[in-house]
């Protein structure tokens, strides 16, 4: 398509779960529901249309060993794009990926800065590793560097204990979260286990990643405070292999990880039933491949979330939560076209017919 081309999108435009239109136009890279007056160079695509999928937990510029070269980060972003994920929340990366913002052929990224972890309590080469007295200063630093989010490591294995345990004292997280909010940033935290959750929520955290440690005691607290979770079920599926690898050295941790995995679907469904906001995220970019947002939507349905709600968790609701538009008048034309109705069968998401980013057909 030329710079002046108009894209005509026909079929069923899923503006929202229950709002469907028959067509839209893309003019100057933006959505219009009015036919342009003197359109000459018109291209047409047809099908079932969603706003670009959201992966609300991934890591561009990171692999299992740490930061990666720009060309690898580019491949990661392209993999997400070609799978239809056009809005990414990067939940912690040591790499500077701001150059991606200058590329109109790559997904839009909302960054949470670099992970902030306790000393020797996270994956090597990923995080700033600090002690509690420095937490407020590092949160302020990452709040200024990120795009409105800060990422803490809320729990990790304590080698002396031989199991997962909370990384931060209550007073430290209260002060840190307050500072992030003062600077206009929201805070999220990696949490696998149970014991860090109450302190983080009562300290004012906005979101918890994974949240496998939710219980009947903490789920109502999350619902009451409106704290979101991003379960990353495609990543939680790796828990049994992780547990097997660490069983000899840390049998208590290994058994704990297996329990968290076994109840994962019940945990997510209980949170959803209680009214906890649930969003799609994959944890891609560590040891997990990019391009799995559709698989995560399917995992949410396996947990018992209704298909349309699981779809919304990776499209309409997720975009609203992150403060980004969907298929709105005047919004950037970031959309995905499918051959069939994804509300009827979310497996449709794995096979996009067309991917449109900033008004251009890129896949």
């Amino acid at each position: 398509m030329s710079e002046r081309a108009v894209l005509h999108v026909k079929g069923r435009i899923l503006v929202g779960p229950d709002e469907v239109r028959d067509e839209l136009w893309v003019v100057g890279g933006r959505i219009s529901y009015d036919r342009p007056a003197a359109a000459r160079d018109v291209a047409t695509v047809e099908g079932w249309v969603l706003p670009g999928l959201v992966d609300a937990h991934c890591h561009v510029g990171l692999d299992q060993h740490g930061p990666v070269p720009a060309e690898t980060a580019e491949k990661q972003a392209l993999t997400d794009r070609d799978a239809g994920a056009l809005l990414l929340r990067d939940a912690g990366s040591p790499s500077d990926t701001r150059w991606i913002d200058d590329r109109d052929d790559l997904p839009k990224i909302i960054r949470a800065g670099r992970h902030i972890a306790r000393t020797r309590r996270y994956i090597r080469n990923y995080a700033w590793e600090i002690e509690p007295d420095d937490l407020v200063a590092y949160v302020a630093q990452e709040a200024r560097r990120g795009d409105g989010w800060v990422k803490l490591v809320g729990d990790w294995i304590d080698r002396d204990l031989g199991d997962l345990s909370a990384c931060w004292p209550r007073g430290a997280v209260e002060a840190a979260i307050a500072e992030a909010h003062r600077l206009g940033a929201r805070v999220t935290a990696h949490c696998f286990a149970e014991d860090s959750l109450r302190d983080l929520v009562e300290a004012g955290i906005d979101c918890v990643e994974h949240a496998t440690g939710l219980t009947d005691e903490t789920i109502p607290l999350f619902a009451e405070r409106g704290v979101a979770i991003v379960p990353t079920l495609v990543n939680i599926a790796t828990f049994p292999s992780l547990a097997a690898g660490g069983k000899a050295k840390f049998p208590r941790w290994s058994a704990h990880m297996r329990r968290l995995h076994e109840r994962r679907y019940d945990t997510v469904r209980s949170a959803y039933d209680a009214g906890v906001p649930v969003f799609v995220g994959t944890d891609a970019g560590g040891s997990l491949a990019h391009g799995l947002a559709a698989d995560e939507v399917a995992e949410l349905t396996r947990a018992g979330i209704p298909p349309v709600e699981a779809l919304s968790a990776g499209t309409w609701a997720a975009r609203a939560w992150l403060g980004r538009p969907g298929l709105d008048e005047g919004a950037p034309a970031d959309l995905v076209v499918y051959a069939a109705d994804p509300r009827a069968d979310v497996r449709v998401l794995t096979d996009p017919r067309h991917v449109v980013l900033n008004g251009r057909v890129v896949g």
Side-chain angles (χ1 to χ4, degrees):
M1 293 175 62
S2 68
E3 290 291 336
R4 297 183 179 180
V6 170
L7 181 66
H8 187 201
V9 183
K10 298 171 58 179
R12 307 300 285 162
I13 315 300
L14 301 176
V15 180
D18 301 309
E19 182 182 355
V20 184
R21 300 199 183 197
D22 294 327
E23 61 183 352
L24 64 78
W25 301 81
V26 178
V27 183
R30 293 186 175 272
I31 292 171
S32 174
Y33 288 100
D34 296 321
R35 175 188 284 270
R40 291 178 295 176
D41 183 7
V42 179
T44 301
V45 296
E46 297 187 50
W48 294 80
V49 181
L50 284 173
L53 303 184
V54 177
D55 187 339
H57 183 136
C58 65
H59 307 276
V60 177
L62 182 69
D63 69 8
Q64 63 267 41
H65 305 296
V68 299
E71 55 268 26
T72 302
E74 179 186 42
K75 290 177 182 176
Q76 293 173 336
L78 286 169
T79 299
D80 282 320
R81 184 200 74 180
D82 293 345
L86 305 183
L87 179 62
L88 313 176
R89 186 181 61 145
D90 190 320
S93 175
S95 297
D96 180 0
T97 60
R98 288 288 173 189
W99 57 269
I100 290 176
D101 295 346
D102 298 326
R103 294 272 300 270
D104 63 6
D105 62 330
L106 295 178
K108 295 173 175 67
I109 300 183
I110 297 169
R111 298 170 184 82
R114 186 174 183 175
H115 305 77
I116 302 171
R118 192 76 180 262
T119 308
R120 297 190 65 215
R121 294 284 301 279
Y122 200 49
I123 303 167
R124 185 179 298 177
N125 300 323
Y126 275 34
W128 298 117
E129 297 191 16
I130 62 167
E131 288 302 294
D133 287 347
D134 294 321
L135 185 59
V136 170
Y138 273 81
V139 163
Q141 169 185 287
E142 298 310 296
R144 293 186 178 102
R145 289 179 175 175
D147 298 316
W149 284 90
V150 175
K151 169 73 174 293
L152 307 179
V153 177
D155 65 25
W156 197 249
I157 189 168
D158 181 327
R159 291 168 176 79
D160 294 330
L161 183 65
D163 199 0
L164 298 165
S165 71
C167 292
W168 310 104
R170 170 73 172 261
V173 293
E174 285 178 342
I177 292 170
E179 178 66 2
H181 288 170
R182 186 184 73 81
L183 294 170
R186 289 186 276 182
V187 181
T188 192
H190 160 107
C191 295
F192 284 159
E194 298 85 354
D195 61 353
S196 65
L197 296 178
R198 180 171 292 276
D199 280 352
L200 288 168
V201 173
E202 291 181 347
I205 203 159
D206 303 282
C207 180
V208 170
E209 312 299 314
H210 317 302
T212 41
L214 281 170
T215 64
D216 291 343
E217 287 70 42
T218 50
I219 285 172
L221 183 62
F222 273 64
E224 175 189 337
R225 303 291 181 96
V227 177
I229 64 170
V230 183
T232 68
L233 288 167
V234 292
N235 179 50
I236 305 311
T238 68
F239 277 18
S241 62
L242 295 175
K247 183 177 181 180
K249 191 173 183 180
F250 299 113
R252 182 177 171 186
W253 169 84
S254 177
H256 195 175
M257 293 289 279
R258 289 185 182 279
R259 290 195 303 274
L260 294 172
H261 174 264
E262 287 165 2
R263 72 179 202 229
R264 68 197 186 283
Y265 290 149
D266 289 340
T267 300
V268 171
R269 179 56 193 252
S270 294
Y272 168 80
D273 286 345
V276 175
V278 179
F279 298 105
V280 166
T282 65
D283 208 3
S287 58
L288 211 62
H290 282 258
L292 298 177
D295 298 80
E296 182 66 14
V297 174
E299 276 289 280
L300 292 180
T301 67
R302 292 186 188 102
I305 294 180
V308 172
E309 294 300 315
L311 186 61
S312 185
T315 54
W316 311 293
R319 284 178 169 271
W321 177 60
L322 293 172
R324 297 297 189 271
L327 299 177
D328 305 322
E329 178 75 31
D334 297 345
L335 55 92
V336 192
V337 183
Y338 300 95
D341 187 352
R343 298 171 304 176
D345 186 349
V346 299
R347 291 176 296 180
V348 168
L349 298 179
T350 63
D351 188 22
R353 175 182 282 179
H354 301 290
V355 176
V356 178
L357 180 60
N358 293 310
R360 297 188 177 187
V361 180
V362 294

